[in-house]
């Protein structure tokens, strides 16, 4: 599989603030690559450098084998971008938005018409074609932005938090569409705060914090390596804490609960029941969210 | 300082930005076509004929005929300046149009150039409407005065580039009131629009000539309107072209400083 984005020692500084601090990663053709991290971790900055709209401070960044500093126009021809913030053109209808945007890519009018029809259908917006942007719901706007990002039949689709604030129906629709695009061979770069979304869609992801990459890997593997299969949650009290320390188990106190990381949760539960006094307990599978919180901490960032 | 004089890279893609604004203009044509007709009629009646009755003739012509090219010049200035300050600011900051464009092969140089060309086009459109009114009132020589139409594009370009400089440095949309009140309003009054500059003391005349773009636009417009040619017009045109070019380069670099982070 060939590499479509490669970053070496990529750095971005805003004055004294180092937003991206010498990161290395590569995105392979046809995969869905996730960038995860708390707010301010450097995800959007990284994406903006890939998009050629924010110049890098140092390091190397190539998209489709081209240097971002030298070939921004050529690179941008092959990118589809779904930005974090909606920026549809409020002076136009749904249909006009797509037609006018296709002009920015120098797509001929006939070709554009054909693609717009197809994309309206693909994103289930046909009935809204003559509606002005301000009359669309949040979900429709998001679907339209995705349709717009596909006008130039991009080789790389960049999705910056594509499903923020959407209802579950729309979110599932968007996930389905992303999956079908992936099947067609489109490379996808995704940032998200929804771990479920990342786990569902990403073949590979990195978790970033303070401008650095903390880990990289397949979602399942990351969970297995960092947490294990399961988590046993027990209500915290001093007796159990002593008990766990004595047994030298790996655990984390979260509010009034203790999370114990284990591959054999039920065996452990019986052992604990025999040895300490247990109140509320629950067994659940470990998720990407556990990995994320473990790596980036539970403290609020802003 | 030299970073503000870096030459922009503007290809023919800038016309795509121009086309977008043109499409919006056509979509809302009813509003766009009435006002440019109405404004000059009101001014001509109130100032040209009302006030003109007291003034009599200026420089040997009726006051209304003296005033007409001044009004056209003011319209050229206002259309471009307001389009590329408030209009561009709304597109840039509130509508996030530039953000959407920059994700396509368009670069920022082309986006800003497109905005400036559009501002100049607005001048041309409004000047054309005013010209029709003024011709209908019989205040201007015809058909030579039609040269004002292409000239209004050149003059509009100057004011658009100037406007973009202010748009680029304004921290918020209200800050745009400063150039309007401190620059545009005085310029509107002291550029030989409502009265000949020759009535002012010499130092002020020189200062106006050196610093106020509208002075040059009025000089040329009036010469075209009245068919009075002079060699000095060449100086006015050179001034406009040089300053336009400088402002064009500076405005794009200022916008880059603001938007490319």
């Amino acid at each position: 599989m060939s590499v479509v984005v490669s970053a070496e020692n990529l750095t971005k500084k805003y004055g004294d603030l180092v937003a991206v601090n010498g990161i290395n990663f590569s995105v392979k053709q046809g995969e869905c690559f996730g960038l995860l991290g708390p707010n301010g971790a450097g995800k959007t900055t990284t994406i903006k450098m890939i998009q050629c709209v924010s110049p890098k401070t140092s390091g190397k960044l190539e998209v489709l084998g081209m240097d971002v500093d030298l070939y921004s126009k050529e690179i941008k021809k092959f990118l589809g971008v779904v930005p974090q913030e909606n920026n549809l053109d409020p002076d136009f209808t749904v249909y006009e938005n797509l037609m006018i945007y296709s002009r920015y890519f120098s797509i001929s009018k006939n070709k554009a018409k054909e693609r717009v029809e197809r994309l309206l259908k693909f994103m289930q917006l046909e009935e809204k074609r003559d509606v002005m942007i301000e009359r669309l719901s949040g979900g429709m706007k998001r679907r339209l932005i995705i349709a717009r990002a596909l006008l130039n039949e991009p080789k790389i689709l960049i999705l910056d938090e594509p499903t923020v604030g959407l209802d579950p129906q729309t979110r599932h629709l968007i996930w389905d569409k992303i999956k079908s695009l992936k099947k067609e061979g489109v490379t996808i770069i995704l940032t998200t705060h929804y771990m479920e979304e990342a786990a569902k869609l990403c073949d590979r992801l990195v978790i970033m914090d303070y401008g650095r990459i903390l880990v990289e890997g397949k979602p399942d593997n990351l969970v297995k390596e960092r947490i294990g299969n399961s988590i046993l949650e027990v209500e915290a009290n001093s007796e159990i804490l002593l008990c766990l320390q004595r047994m030298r188990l790996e655990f984390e106190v979260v509010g009034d609960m203790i999370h114990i990381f284990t591959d054999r949760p039920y065996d452990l539960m019986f052992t604990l029941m025999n040895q300490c006094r247990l109140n509320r307990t629950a067994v659940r599978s470990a998720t990407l969210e556990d990995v994320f919180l473990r790596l980036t901490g539970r403290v609020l960032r802003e | 300082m030299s970073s503000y004089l870096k030459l922009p890279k503007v290809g023919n893609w800038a016309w795509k930005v121009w086309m977008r604004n043109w499409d919006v203009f056509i979509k809302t044509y009813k509003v766009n076509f009435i006002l440019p007709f109405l404004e000059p009629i009101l001014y001509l009646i109130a100032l040209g004929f009302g006030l003109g009755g007291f003034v009599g003739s200026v420089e040997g012509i009726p006051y209304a005929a003296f005033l007409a090219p001044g009004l056209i010049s003011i319209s050229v200035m206002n259309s471009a300046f307001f389009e590329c300050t408030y209009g561009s600011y709304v597109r840039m900051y509130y509508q996030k149009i530039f953000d959407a464009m920059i994700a396509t092969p368009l670069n920022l140089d082309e986006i800003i150039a497109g905005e400036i060309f559009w501002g100049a086009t607005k001048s041309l459109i409004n000047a054309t409407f005013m010209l029709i009114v003024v011709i209908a009132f019989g205040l201007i020589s015809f058909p030579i005065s039609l040269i004002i139409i292409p000239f209004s594009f050149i003059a509009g370009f100057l004011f658009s580039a100037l406007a973009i400089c202010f748009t680029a440095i304004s921290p918020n949309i209200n800050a745009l009131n400063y150039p309007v009140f401190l620059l545009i309003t005085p310029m509107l009054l002291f550029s030989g629009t409502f009265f000949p500059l020759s009535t002012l003391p010499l130092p002020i005349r020189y200062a106006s000539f050196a610093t106020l773009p509208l002075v040059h636009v009025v000089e040329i417009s009036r010469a075209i309107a009245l068919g009075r040619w002079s060699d000095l017009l060449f100086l006015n045109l050179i001034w406009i072209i040089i300053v336009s070019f400088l402002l064009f380069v500076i405005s794009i670099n200022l916008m880059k400083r603001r938007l490319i982070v």
Side-chain angles (χ1 to χ4, degrees), chain A residues 85-299:
Chain A
E85 226 178 320
N86 285 341
N87 55 19
L88 293 160
D89 197 326
D91 289 321
F92 295 108
T93 63
V94 168
Y95 181 79
E96 289 166 338
N97 254 278
L98 295 176
M99 287 305 287
I100 283 165
Y101 210 71
S102 66
R103 204 156 60 199
Y104 302 151
F105 285 98
S106 286
I107 300 167
S108 74
K109 203 164 181 177
N110 285 333
K111 217 180 214 173
K113 274 185 186 161
E114 186 191 302
R115 285 187 195 175
V116 168
E117 294 304 335
R118 189 156 41 81
L119 287 169
L120 285 175
K121 202 168 169 189
F122 183 65
M123 291 315 294
Q124 299 177 21
L125 285 164
E126 289 152 298
E127 284 163 27
K128 299 288 169 189
R129 57 186 297 143
D130 295 321
V131 174
M132 294 295 283
I133 298 309
E134 59 178 16
R135 315 211 50 152
L136 297 179
S137 70
M140 291 174 199
K141 281 184 191 156
R142 220 56 193 148
R143 271 144 62 198
L144 179 55
I145 288 239
I146 294 174
R148 194 183 70 176
L150 297 172
L151 277 170
N152 59 325
E153 299 184 333
K155 290 190 177 165
I156 304 173
L157 181 62
I158 296 175
L159 303 159
D160 197 356
E161 300 188 21
T163 62
V164 166
L166 300 180
D167 62 23
Q169 286 83 354
T170 312
R171 202 177 312 148
H172 280 276
L173 174 95
I174 289 178
W175 289 345
D176 285 347
K177 298 304 174 190
I178 294 174
K179 279 183 198 156
S180 69
L181 287 167
K182 212 170 83 179
K183 264 188 208 137
E184 286 172 32
V186 180
T187 307
I188 292 162
I189 301 175
L190 171 83
T191 82
T192 181
H193 285 307
Y194 299 124
M195 298 302 133
E196 189 198 351
E197 181 167 284
K200 263 200 172 88
L201 298 175
C202 295
D203 300 309
R204 215 154 50 86
L205 55 85
V206 293
I207 297 179
M208 291 181 75
D209 204 5
Y210 298 112
R212 290 180 180 280
I213 290 176
L214 302 177
V215 282
E216 185 204 309
K218 293 182 195 305
D220 292 349
N221 292 354
L222 283 175
V223 176
K224 278 198 191 93
E225 284 161 19
R226 298 279 159 167
I227 304 281
N229 280 328
S230 306
I231 289 183
L232 175 63
E233 292 190 14
V234 299
E235 197 173 307
N237 60 47
S238 48
E239 196 190 330
I240 289 177
L241 276 174
L242 279 174
C243 194
L244 290 171
Q245 273 158 6
R246 205 172 54 230
M247 293 171 70
R248 292 172 200 280
L249 284 167
E250 209 182 351
F251 67 93
E252 191 180 21
V253 183
V254 182
D256 62 347
M257 297 298 280
I258 300 173
H259 291 180
I260 308 159
F261 309 124
T262 172
D263 285 339
R264 309 181 63 174
Y266 294 101
D267 294 351
L268 181 63
M269 192 158 76
F270 282 121
T271 318
L272 286 175
M273 272 177 171
N274 291 333
Q275 301 202 7
C276 340
R277 200 165 50 82
L278 280 185
N279 291 329
R280 275 196 292 144
T281 56
V283 174
R284 61 174 178 84
S285 305
T287 64
L288 199 53
E289 187 132 345
D290 298 310
V291 181
F292 184 88
L293 288 172
R294 205 165 184 213
L295 286 169
T296 59
R298 290 180 181 269
V299 186

Side-chain angles (χ1 to χ4, degrees), chain A residues 44 46-54 61 63 68 72 75-76 79-81 83 158 160, chain B residues 99 102-104:
Chain A
T44 298
T46 304
I47 277 200
K48 286 199 163 151
M49 290 191 278
I50 296 173
Q51 243 185 286
C52 310
V53 297
S54 179
L61 178 60
V63 179
V68 287
S72 64
I75 291 171
K76 288 199 283 181
L79 301 185
V81 179
I158 296 175
D160 197 356
Chain B
D99 288 348
I102 203 139
T104 73

Side-chain angles (χ1 to χ4, degrees), chain B residues 139-260:
Chain B
L139 295 170
I140 207 165
S141 58
F142 183 81
I144 185 76
S145 59
L146 292 182
I147 301 175
I148 286 184
I149 294 174
F151 174 66
S152 64
F153 186 87
I154 298 171
F157 187 94
L158 169 67
F159 293 114
S160 297
L162 178 67
I164 290 288
C165 293
F166 289 111
T167 303
I169 59 173
S170 285
N172 56 59
I173 195 161
N174 292 324
L176 291 172
N177 292 340
Y178 282 96
V180 170
F181 286 108
L182 297 178
L183 179 68
I184 296 301
T185 307
M187 191 145 63
L188 187 147
L189 295 170
F190 297 101
S191 297
T193 40
F194 299 104
F195 55 86
L197 272 184
S198 56
T199 54
L200 293 174
L202 209 55
I204 297 185
R205 278 169 68 185
Y206 282 134
S208 295
F209 193 88
T211 58
L212 299 182
L214 189 60
V215 169
H216 304 277
V217 175
V218 172
E219 289 276 336
I220 293 177
S221 303
R222 191 163 283 141
I224 297 170
L226 305 175
R228 288 180 179 175
W229 303 100
S230 103
D231 294 343
L232 279 178
L233 292 179
F234 185 66
L235 275 181
N236 296 121
L237 192 63
I238 294 286
W239 193 99
I240 289 173
I241 288 167
I242 291 173
V243 174
S244 294
F245 178 74
L246 280 175
L247 288 174
F248 179 70
V249 173
I250 293 168
S251 68
I252 287 178
N253 286 304
L254 283 172
M255 270 295 187
K256 276 185 172 165
R257 197 189 63 172
R258 178 181 186 129
L259 295 177
I260 299 184

